[in-house]
Amino acid sequence: MIAKWLNRIKWDEHGLVPVIAQEVGSKDVLMFAWMNREALARTAEIGQAVYWSRSRKKLWHKGEESGHFQKVYEIRLDCDEDVVLLKVEQAGGVACHTGRHTCFFNQLGSADGQPDWVEVDPVLKNPDDIYNK
Amino acid sequence: MIAKWLNRIKWDEHGLVPVIAQEVGSKDVLMFAWMNREALARTAEIGQAVYWSRSRKKLWHKGEESGHFQKVYEIRLDCDEDVVLLKVEQAGGVACHTGRHTCFFNQLGSADGQPDWVEVDPVLKNPDDIYNK
């Protein structure tokens, strides 16, 4: 099948596109990851987020180990056609491998009078309970 | 000055970090861009988004031509310390160079019975009026 919509995307030199996952409802930005052509095609096909793991160099069906699947409600593409935005429902309410709701839990604030990153969001689930089931 | 908080960031092989800009209030994801160390330091210093333009290979103070500055309310860093999330107020309500509120105006839908990208968000301001002032 000719996937015209996949051809519209300007894949980078590694054949990847950056992907932002945003939660429907709360509109929280949950995480950021990458997809290759196969990952995006699969995401559209099954309606769940499938990323490309750059470290493991393989498709990563988010939730396959943790159960924290992302049901995809919308797939958007930006003006330059090189960034994807997913609107998802986050199973378990936990997107981050640290057990937090989102991956963006470090906020620039100050510590000891110097600017520094401060963890501002709570751990909702023990990571040991996420992965060692 | 030793900028410990900047050293925490895992800059990529080009010395850059991906940045997501999210609007405070609406929580809309406005755009995606890149920053180098100088851009992020400057952003924190002046409280307005300063990106690194990969095409022009220079600092890009968002709004310098369009007037569509982004006032920064929060700077966040993800769990892997390699992605930044800005929470911003968008001057003029227009983040995209096409004159739309956000850059993510293409939604995967269907056209002529085939999956395709559909422009779903309105142009709020004529791009000619943004840049040819």
Side-chain angles (χ1 to χ4, degrees), chain B residues 6-7 9-13 15-17 35-37 40:
Chain B
L6 287 167
N7 291 341
I9 295 174
K10 296 191 183 82
W11 306 94
D12 74 6
E13 67 273 28
L16 303 177
V17 70
M35 288 186 183
N36 62 5
R37 189 180 168 102
L40 184 51

Side-chain angles (χ1 to χ4, degrees), chain B residues 49-103:
Chain B
V50 178
Y51 301 102
W52 174 255
S53 169
R54 295 186 304 168
S55 55
R56 291 178 287 158
K57 298 192 193 333
K58 63 172 192 172
L59 289 183
W60 163 38
H61 183 179
K62 167 80 178 167
E64 63 193 355
E65 289 183 42
S66 61
H68 296 156
F69 296 99
Q70 293 178 334
K71 182 176 175 184
V72 176
Y73 281 77
E74 258 185 56
I75 302 178
R76 293 216 177 196
L77 183 64
D78 76 327
C79 51
D80 293 329
E81 305 178 342
D82 61 1
V83 183
V84 167
L85 173 66
L86 295 184
K87 303 203 180 177
V88 305
E89 181 183 285
Q90 178 60 60
V94 170
C96 186
H97 74 286
T98 64
R100 293 179 176 86
H101 178 51
T102 92
C103 293

